[in-house]
Each structure stands twice: as structure tokens, then as C-alpha cells.
Amino acid sequence: MALSAQQILRSFNSIKLSSFINATQLTKRFPRPGKTWLQSSSAWPQMSCDNCFLQWGFKTYRTSSLWNSSQSTNSSRQENNSAQSTPLPLANEQSEKTQKMPCFDSDLTLEELDDLPPLSPLQPLSEEEAIQIVADPLLPPDSFTLRDYVDHSETLQKLVLLGVDLSKIEKHPDAANFLLRLDFEKDIKQILLFLKDLGLEDNQLGPFLTKNYAIFSEDLENLKIRVTYLQSKNFSKADIAQMVRNAPFLLNFSVERLDNRLGFFQKELELNVKKTRDLVVRLPRLLTGSLEPVKENMKVYRLELGFNHNEIQHMITRIPKMLTANKRKLTETFDYVHNVMSIPHHIIVKFPQVFNTRLFKIKERHLFLTYLGRAQYDPAKPNYISLEKLVSIPDEIFCEEIAKTSVQDFEKFLKSL
């Protein structure tokens, strides 16, 4: 009577896999005419093999034994000696062995054997096999830092080698999950090659990607279309590379947005095409940031500070940062320069960098010149001191050429304030 598939599996799992393999090897080494596999089972030695085949109808089963080569060699020698010296089993011993072994009938088809489930993971292991199992460390289910995942992620490892600061990226809530899902070859490599072709150097990729890791979510074709648009507006390759470095999110915006921004500055400031292009090359954040500070500052210059349109146009083309400067800083600087130092509008327009200077530096130097009797800012009078020299040169040159004194005297004066 044929055994069912479940009975075969239950019987097979009850016997160690290594014993079957050893028996197979033994019958191959010592073939005996007329002797069956069951009859030779009494001479099974203890040994292991990595890839052996059972010859009684099952598909290939593999053993996971990890015996070293010296043990295998010794076992093989013992095997030869045992096979030669061990007498043939008695008939009653063979009968007992036969009763213990399962009997497999030929009625069980190969298709049914194929459907048998694999060996149970609960198959018992020897102590030597168990201690040699090496398990990889598990990924932490959650973490507050990307550092815990670097050893497990090829993508993160390569980003670190590029100079990306993961400690800054992980401060963004969804950044970590986004990066961990990326494949370097599929999602990152082509973007890096695109940035290199655009003009970014190797040492610039890290800082760029630290600020704009979201560029990996952009379609490469869309990025190329935006570059093509800028080129159609006569921005040179060097101009585009400079703009991308200084405004990392520039290429994340659509062509429609870029076109609207260029049109806004050209119309609002009444600039020609070349001056508009030069303006955004020097300050590309004008294309990516909010327009509200720009509109507010334009009102401040015109209504609160009293500059006319041509004066505003001249100043912002010289110092583009005046469009995005802090409103409070602008008004405080103008109030001190115009009302305390008595410098008129037309002179301030010629030296707009005064709005880009820290107010305490202007105060310190003006007070020192006043103390020395040299605070003269009228170009029509002798010993004239321009605003450019007042705010731009270092202390050593200021003391030597403007104040006509030593740096030590200037430092002593500052301590008395």
C-alpha cells in the first residue's frame, strides 16, 4: 500500500538528513551487487556533505552542516576502515532495520514528490552547527538619526562619501524615509551626472545635496527642460552653474514659475533684458524665494526713505541684496546715515553698499572720526571721506589713511564707549 505525501514527509523529518547523505556516499564508494540501500544502512558512519543527492526518488535536499575539512578527512578515513573491517549485519539485524525504515512505494508519482513542502525550519541542529550560525544585525525599527542605517544602506554610504551632511537632512521629518527608499544606481546616479554636466564640481555636490536632497524626486527630463529654458533666455552655462550653486532649489521650480519671476522683475523695476539677467545671476534667490519681502522693500525705499524710482533702480542693480534685506535694518541704517551723519540722498545712492554694512561698524567709525574732528562727508569740502571707504576698508587702513592715527588708539576709544 502506498504511503501518502504527509506520511513520507513525517517519516523523512524524523531521521537526520546527514544520515541519508552519508548512506548515499557509502553505497557509492562500496557498491555491492545485489545489496539494497536498506540492507547497507547498518554501516552508516557519521559524516557530512554540502551538496549530495538522495537516490530514492526525492528532489535534491541540501544539508547545512559546517564541518571543517580536517574533520571531513578524518571521517572519510574512518569510513574506509569501518567499511572494510565491519562484518555484514545478521539477518535479524537487517530485519529490525528494515522495520524501522519507511517503505516508499513506486505508486507515488514525481509530481506528488514535487509538491512536498521543504524541510521544517524546526529541524534539530547539532551544537557545533548552531554556534557557527552568524546572523546579520537587524535594522532598528525606528530611530532619531540616519547614522543607525548607514551601515545597512549603500545609498547612504555613497552620499556620505560625496560629502552630504546627513545630520542636517535628518532634521526634516520625511527626509530619512525618503532617502532610505532610494536606489543609488536607479534614482541618484543619473542626477549626479546631470549636475556634473551642469558645472558643479565634486566638492560642491555634498553641500548642494545637503540643502536640496529633494532633487532626487524630480524627473530628469524636467530638469533638462528647465536648463534649456534658461539657455533660451541667453543665460550662459557658467551663469546657470553659478545660479544653481547659490540657489540650490532653482531647478526644482517649473518653467512657468521661472518665466513669471523674470517677467516680474523686468516689469516692476523697469529693467531691460540684460540688466534683469545680470540681477538674477548675482542673486538667483530672487527666482526661488517669496516676492513679499521684495514688494515690501520697494515701498519702503519709495515711501519711507524718499528715494525716487531711478535711484531705487540704480541701487538695486549695484546691491541686489537690498531687495531682500530686513526692513528694520534698512530703516535704522538710513536714519543714522541720513539724519545723524547728515548725508543726503544723492550721495547715499552713489554708495548703496552702506545698506549692506552692519550698523554698529558705521557708528564706531563715525564716532571716532567725530572725536578726531575728521567726520567730513561733503565732497565739495576739503578732507572729504566717502561712504565707500568708511564702510569697506579694514581697520588698519581706516586708521592709517582716514583717521590718521593708530589701531591702538582706535581700540582704546572703542573701550571708552
Side-chain angles (χ1 to χ4, degrees):
M1 180 178 179
L3 295 177
S4 67
Q6 292 183 350
Q7 289 174 324
I8 292 175
L9 182 62
R10 189 179 302 112
S11 300
F12 178 72
N13 286 340
S14 66
I15 303 173
K16 285 198 176 277
L17 180 60
S18 58
S19 299
F20 287 115
I21 298 170
N22 295 338
T24 305
Q25 289 187 337
L26 189 60
T27 56
K28 287 182 178 179
R29 294 188 181 186
F30 305 100
R32 299 179 184 179
K35 194 166 186 65
T36 65
W37 175 77
L38 290 176
Q39 290 174 333
S40 64
S41 62
S42 62
W44 292 347
Q46 296 297 322
M47 61 177 291
S48 66
C49 177
D50 286 336
N51 293 299
C52 299
F53 294 93
L54 304 182
Q55 298 180 352
W56 42 279
F58 277 100
K59 291 184 69 176
T60 304
Y61 284 89
R62 295 178 182 270
T63 180
S64 59
S65 301
L66 300 174
W67 287 63
N68 56 37
S69 58
S70 62
Q71 290 173 320
S72 299
T73 303
N74 294 335
S75 177
S76 298
R77 292 175 181 174
Q78 294 174 2
E79 181 181 320
N80 294 334
N81 296 334
S82 174
Q84 294 175 359
S85 60
T86 303
L88 292 176
L90 300 177
N92 59 346
E93 293 179 352
Q94 295 178 6
S95 177
E96 292 176 2
K97 297 290 185 179
T98 305
Q99 291 176 0
K100 294 180 180 179
M101 295 300 296
C103 179
F104 302 101
D105 195 281
S106 59
D107 292 341
L108 192 64
T109 64
L110 292 178
E111 287 76 6
E112 292 174 326
L113 291 175
D114 288 340
D115 293 336
L116 291 177
L119 291 178
S120 170
L122 300 179
Q123 181 74 22
L125 297 176
S126 67
E127 184 176 350
E128 292 184 359
E129 292 173 334
I131 63 176
Q132 295 187 50
I133 296 176
V134 179
D136 293 331
L138 296 176
L139 281 171
D142 51 46
S143 177
F144 293 101
T145 175
L146 283 171
R147 181 177 56 188
D148 295 336
Y149 299 92
V150 172
D151 292 339
H152 308 276
S153 172
E154 179 187 5
T155 297
L156 294 183
Q157 292 171 11
K158 291 186 176 181
L159 289 177
V160 170
L161 292 176
L162 287 171
V164 177
D165 191 345
L166 298 181
S167 65
K168 293 182 179 179
I169 294 179
E170 66 191 15
K171 295 178 182 179
H172 302 277
D174 299 325
N177 289 333
F178 171 69
L179 290 181
L180 287 172
R181 291 186 175 95
L182 296 179
D183 179 83
F184 188 86
E185 293 294 328
K186 180 181 178 182
D187 304 315
I188 294 180
K189 186 176 180 179
Q190 295 302 319
I191 299 294
L192 294 178
L193 294 176
F194 166 77
L195 294 175
K196 289 277 292 180
D197 292 340
L198 203 60
L200 270 68
E201 302 294 336
D202 291 342
N203 60 348
Q204 296 170 341
L205 290 174
F208 175 87
L209 296 175
T210 299
K211 295 178 181 178
N212 185 18
Y213 59 88
I215 196 171
F216 296 131
S217 64
E218 295 288 335
D219 184 77
L220 183 59
E221 292 303 317
N222 288 336
L223 296 176
K224 293 180 179 179
I225 290 173
R226 293 158 194 171
V227 172
T228 302
Y229 166 77
L230 293 175
Q231 292 172 341
S232 70
K233 296 299 181 180
N234 293 326
F235 288 96
S236 67
K237 183 176 180 180
D239 290 339
I240 296 174
Q242 178 180 336
M243 293 166 67
V244 171
R245 283 194 299 268
N246 296 333
F249 293 97
L250 177 67
L251 296 181
N252 292 52
F253 295 103
S254 65
V255 169
E256 292 76 14
R257 178 187 172 108
L258 297 177
D259 189 67
N260 290 336
R261 287 299 179 91
L262 289 173
F264 170 81
F265 289 108
Q266 184 175 357
K267 179 180 179 180
E268 184 73 16
L269 304 177
E270 297 181 8
L271 300 174
N272 59 33
V273 175
K274 183 180 182 305
K275 288 186 176 181
T276 303
R277 184 167 55 246
D278 293 341
L279 180 70
V280 297
V281 168
R282 295 176 62 188
L283 191 65
R285 288 181 298 167
L286 294 175
L287 299 179
T288 61
S290 173
L291 291 177
E292 292 306 315
V294 176
K295 295 176 180 179
E296 184 67 22
N297 284 349
M298 292 294 292
K299 294 179 181 179
V300 170
Y301 292 130
R302 185 172 62 254
L303 302 178
E304 297 186 28
L305 307 186
F307 293 101
N308 61 42
H309 183 78
N310 291 335
E311 291 174 335
I312 297 173
Q313 189 183 73
H314 176 80
M315 289 191 295
I316 63 173
T317 53
R318 292 279 302 276
I319 310 294
K321 286 184 179 180
M322 291 180 62
L323 285 172
T324 57
N326 181 269
K327 175 183 175 181
R328 180 179 177 182
K329 181 180 182 297
L330 290 175
T331 54
E332 288 180 349
T333 300
F334 176 81
D335 180 67
Y336 191 84
V337 173
H338 181 67
N339 297 322
V340 177
M341 298 173 63
S342 301
I343 299 179
H345 283 76
H346 69 277
I347 293 181
I348 296 176
V349 170
K350 292 181 180 179
F351 306 105
Q353 54 266 44
V354 70
F355 290 105
N356 204 29
T357 306
R358 294 180 179 179
L359 182 57
F360 77 88
K361 183 178 181 180
I362 299 174
K363 288 182 177 181
E364 289 176 349
R365 293 189 175 186
H366 171 68
L367 291 174
F368 187 55
L369 291 176
T370 302
Y371 170 75
L372 297 175
R374 294 182 174 275
Q376 207 287 95
Y377 308 112
D378 187 350
K381 296 180 181 180
N383 301 320
Y384 163 69
I385 298 174
S386 69
L387 281 178
E388 182 180 11
K389 289 184 177 180
L390 180 70
V391 301
S392 61
I393 59 179
D395 287 345
E396 293 79 7
I397 300 177
F398 167 76
C399 293
E400 181 180 351
E401 297 183 2
I402 305 299
K404 308 296 183 182
T405 186
S406 64
V407 176
Q408 291 77 14
D409 291 339
F410 182 46
E411 292 175 348
K412 290 179 180 178
F413 173 80
L414 294 180
K415 290 179 182 180
S416 65
L417 294 179

